Amino acid sequence: MTRENIRTPDGGTIELFSTGAELASAGSGVVVVPPSMVTAADYTKFAQKLSAALGRPVHTFNRRGRGSSSPQPEDYTLDVDIRDLDTVMKHTSSTDVFGHSFGGAVALHAARTLPVERLAVYDPAVSVNGSVTADWIVEYERAIAAKDDDRALAVIQRGLEAGGAFSSRMPLSMLTLANKLTAGTTEGKQQRELMRTGVREIKAIIAADMPAEPFQALPLETLIVVGEKSPAYFGIACGQIHDVLSGSSYTILPGFGHDGAIKAPDKLIKELSDFFAG
C-alpha cells in the first residue's frame, strides 16, 4: 500500500491510500468512498481483497476531518465530498467507484455528474423522499452542550441503529454506560473524534433529500447491495432508486449488517469483483 497527500482545487489536502498500485497497467482503479465515523484505515482489508480479486488498484482516502486530510468546513455540504471525489478520480485515473453508507450517498449524488463508468454502493445512507430522518439530533446537541460525549455518542448509535436492532432498543442510560467503558479503546476514541463531523454529514444527507427520479442520471451499470441485517431505512431508499434506474442490479448480502463492507466477506468481494470486471 502506498500513501500520499494530494491537493484539491480549493487548496485543501486529501490523504490517499492505494492498494495494488503496481497493477495500474492492468486498468483503472476503483475508488472507495468511506462512511462517517471511520477512516480509510478501516478499509485496508476490503481494499486488499478487492484489489487481489480484480487484479487492479483500489484507492481509499480519508475524507475531510480524518487523518492528514484538511478539516471539514463548518459550512459543509455534500458538494465538498463530491469535489474531493472528483479530485481523487482524476489523480488516480479511475472511473469505477464504490461507496459505503454515507460514502454511498456521496457516490450516488456524485455519479449523477462525474464521469463514473461503474458504480457500486453498500447500504448507501442516501435520503430519497424523506427516507432518512434524524429527530434525535436535538437530543444529541443537548448532550454536546452539556459536554457529555458518552451520552451524545449513545444518542447517535441509537438513532442510526448502528449496532443493530438490539442496541436501538437499549435504554439510553445503558448505551451511555457502555460508551464510558469503551472510551479508552481505539474504536471508542475514534468515534468520539469523528462524531461531530458525522452529525454534520447526516444533516447534509437530509438537506440533499430528493425524489428518486433525478438518479436516472446514474451510470447504466450500477450495483446496489444492502445487508440482510442492516437497518430498514437503507433498503427503502435503495428500492426507490432501483425502481427508476432500469440498468441497476439490486442484491441483498445474506447474514451481514451495516458493517458488512468493512468485514469484506468473500461473497461481497466476489460480487463486486465480477461487477467491476464488467
Side-chain angles (χ1 to χ4, degrees):
M1 177 185 293
T2 63
R3 173 196 170 278
E4 60 182 316
N5 286 333
I6 61 176
R7 303 295 291 177
T8 62
D10 65 354
T13 300
I14 300 173
E15 186 178 25
L16 175 68
F17 299 86
S18 298
T19 300
E22 71 281 358
L23 302 170
S25 61
S28 71
V30 177
V31 176
V32 176
V33 190
S36 300
M37 298 177 68
V38 299
T39 68
D42 295 305
Y43 285 81
T44 300
K45 178 181 178 181
F46 175 89
Q48 290 172 339
K49 291 183 70 171
L50 183 59
S51 177
L54 267 178
R56 289 163 50 195
V58 173
H59 310 282
T60 61
F61 65 100
N62 273 324
R63 295 190 296 101
R64 301 208 184 199
R66 298 154 180 83
S68 63
S69 295
S70 296
Q72 190 182 70
E74 289 296 325
D75 60 348
Y76 170 82
T77 67
L78 285 183
D79 287 340
V80 173
D81 274 311
I82 291 172
R83 290 193 297 268
D84 287 351
L85 174 57
D86 186 34
T87 297
V88 172
M89 289 176 63
K90 288 175 178 174
H91 182 80
T92 60
S93 299
S94 299
T95 55
D96 292 347
V97 173
F98 171 79
H100 175 203
S101 193
F102 176 81
V106 171
L108 284 168
H109 283 284
R112 293 169 52 227
T113 56
L114 299 187
V116 177
E117 291 187 4
R118 292 186 181 89
L119 170 66
V121 291
Y122 183 89
D123 279 0
V126 65
S127 187
V128 178
N129 293 316
S131 61
V132 175
T133 59
D135 296 340
W136 50 265
I137 285 180
V138 174
E139 191 170 10
Y140 160 83
E141 289 177 340
R142 282 200 295 262
I144 289 294
K147 298 183 178 180
D148 189 346
D149 283 2
D150 295 315
R151 183 178 178 84
L153 184 57
V155 171
I156 296 173
Q157 292 166 333
R158 191 171 70 171
L160 296 179
E161 302 176 41
F166 177 73
S167 65
S168 69
R169 293 193 296 266
M170 284 180 64
L172 197 59
S173 58
M174 290 183 63
L175 276 175
T176 301
L177 177 59
N179 287 333
K180 289 182 185 295
L181 296 175
T182 60
T185 65
T186 300
E187 182 178 357
K189 291 176 181 176
Q190 178 171 293
Q191 288 190 327
R192 283 161 183 75
E193 290 171 359
L194 296 178
M195 69 179 177
R196 288 167 177 80
T197 63
V199 171
R200 198 175 290 131
E201 289 164 355
I202 291 163
K203 290 179 178 179
I205 288 172
I206 295 171
D209 177 84
M210 63 173 61
E213 286 71 20
F215 290 103
Q216 289 175 337
L218 289 173
L220 181 63
E221 295 186 74
T222 296
L223 172 65
I224 301 169
V225 185
V226 174
E228 180 186 27
K229 298 181 180 180
S230 299
Y233 59 86
F234 293 112
I236 293 172
C238 289
Q240 294 183 73
I241 293 174
H242 175 58
D243 286 344
V244 302
L245 192 61
S246 60
S248 65
S249 300
Y250 186 105
T251 184
I252 295 175
L253 183 66
F256 286 88
H258 189 54
D259 60 353
I262 291 178
K263 291 182 177 179
D266 291 342
K267 183 175 178 59
L268 176 61
I269 296 300
K270 176 69 164 57
E271 184 153 9
L272 291 174
S273 61
D274 287 348
F275 172 73
F276 285 124

